[in-house]
Amino acid sequence: VELFGFHPVDTVAKRLMAHEGRIGSGAELRGVVFRGAAGSTSVWHRYASLFPGLSFAAGYKILQRVYKFGGQPAVLDALERKADGRVGKNLMHAGAGSLIGVGEIVLLPLDVLKIKSQNNPEALKGRGLISILRTERLSTLYAGAGWTAARNAPGSFALFGASALVKDKVFGLENYSSATFFQNFVASTAGGVASITVAAPLDVVK
């Protein structure tokens, strides 16, 4: 569900990030966003053109979510045992998120291939992951690893920290895992906004 809602928006963002120069007209904007489908009168055709790299995106998102939201609680437990109550709960959640965010660069090749597909669909069209791995150098697939780590550390810090802060200060929860759907929705929204605000400039550089 997230992919079908988010991937087209992500494709638009990546294409705008990669575009050099100013966009001076609506026609030029459509050309940048929709590429070859810009001249089509079919709304569906234009929409479908925003889905290149969906298989890479699916692999990346699934692994990222399992790693990030499965790993953060484990790192949090380890930090809490080490801190022994000397550090605030919100800061612990944010710190655990930051550490797990840095480790996320192991998934970078899938993200790189997704971005390549979004910006130049023809380059990887018809090629499977194994074929690509055979021809692409590892250094190419890990291009921007340093910037990705620099983006993920504060981004994940803000994501988990803001979410924990809302659950604590707004909803007064002692046990964050007892949050209702609505409370999780509000906290996650706050975390997402905080994360994007912090990480967006570094995401452009990446």
Side-chain angles (χ1 to χ4, degrees):
V1 173
E2 181 184 356
L3 279 173
F4 283 99
F6 176 75
H7 190 70
V9 178
D10 186 50
T11 298
V12 171
K14 293 298 187 292
R15 289 177 177 178
L16 290 174
M17 288 178 191
H19 180 71
E20 296 181 4
R22 294 178 62 85
I23 297 175
S25 66
E28 189 177 352
L29 176 62
R30 288 192 293 273
V32 172
V33 171
F34 297 110
R35 303 294 173 87
S40 174
T41 57
S42 169
V43 174
W44 172 252
H45 188 204
R46 287 185 179 182
Y47 178 69
S49 72
L50 300 176
F51 281 90
L54 185 62
S55 58
F56 296 124
Y60 175 70
K61 279 294 177 188
I62 291 169
L63 292 174
Q64 182 202 41
R65 292 298 186 259
V66 171
Y67 167 77
K68 178 174 280 188
F69 292 101
Q72 192 265 355
V75 174
L76 177 63
D77 287 342
L79 290 178
E80 285 177 339
R81 287 196 299 270
K82 191 75 173 176
D84 195 25
R86 294 190 299 268
V87 181
K89 185 187 293 187
N90 297 333
L91 187 59
M92 295 292 286
H93 276 261
S98 183
L99 290 173
I100 208 73
V102 172
E104 200 179 310
I105 60 173
V106 297
L107 303 175
L108 186 59
L110 286 172
D111 194 30
V112 168
L113 292 174
K114 173 182 73 73
I115 295 171
K116 283 178 180 286
S117 296
Q118 288 171 314
N119 285 321
N120 188 9
E122 297 301 318
L124 300 178
K125 190 175 182 179
R127 297 175 64 190
L129 180 60
I130 302 302
S131 170
I132 293 169
L133 292 176
R134 284 175 179 167
T135 56
E136 296 280 350
R137 292 180 302 173
L138 196 62
S139 60
T140 302
L141 296 176
Y142 276 97
W147 285 108
T148 300
R151 165 194 177 275
N152 286 357
S156 293
F157 184 95
L159 173 67
F160 287 98
S163 179
L165 190 66
V166 169
K167 289 177 181 178
D168 182 19
K169 302 301 182 183
V170 176
F171 297 116
L173 297 174
E174 288 291 331
N175 180 10
Y176 296 165
S177 61
S178 66
T180 64
F181 174 82
F182 175 74
Q183 289 170 335
N184 275 320
F185 177 83
V186 174
S188 296
T189 300
V193 171
S195 178
I196 290 170
T197 302
V198 171
L202 291 170
D203 196 33
V204 174
V205 176
K206 185 197 81 171

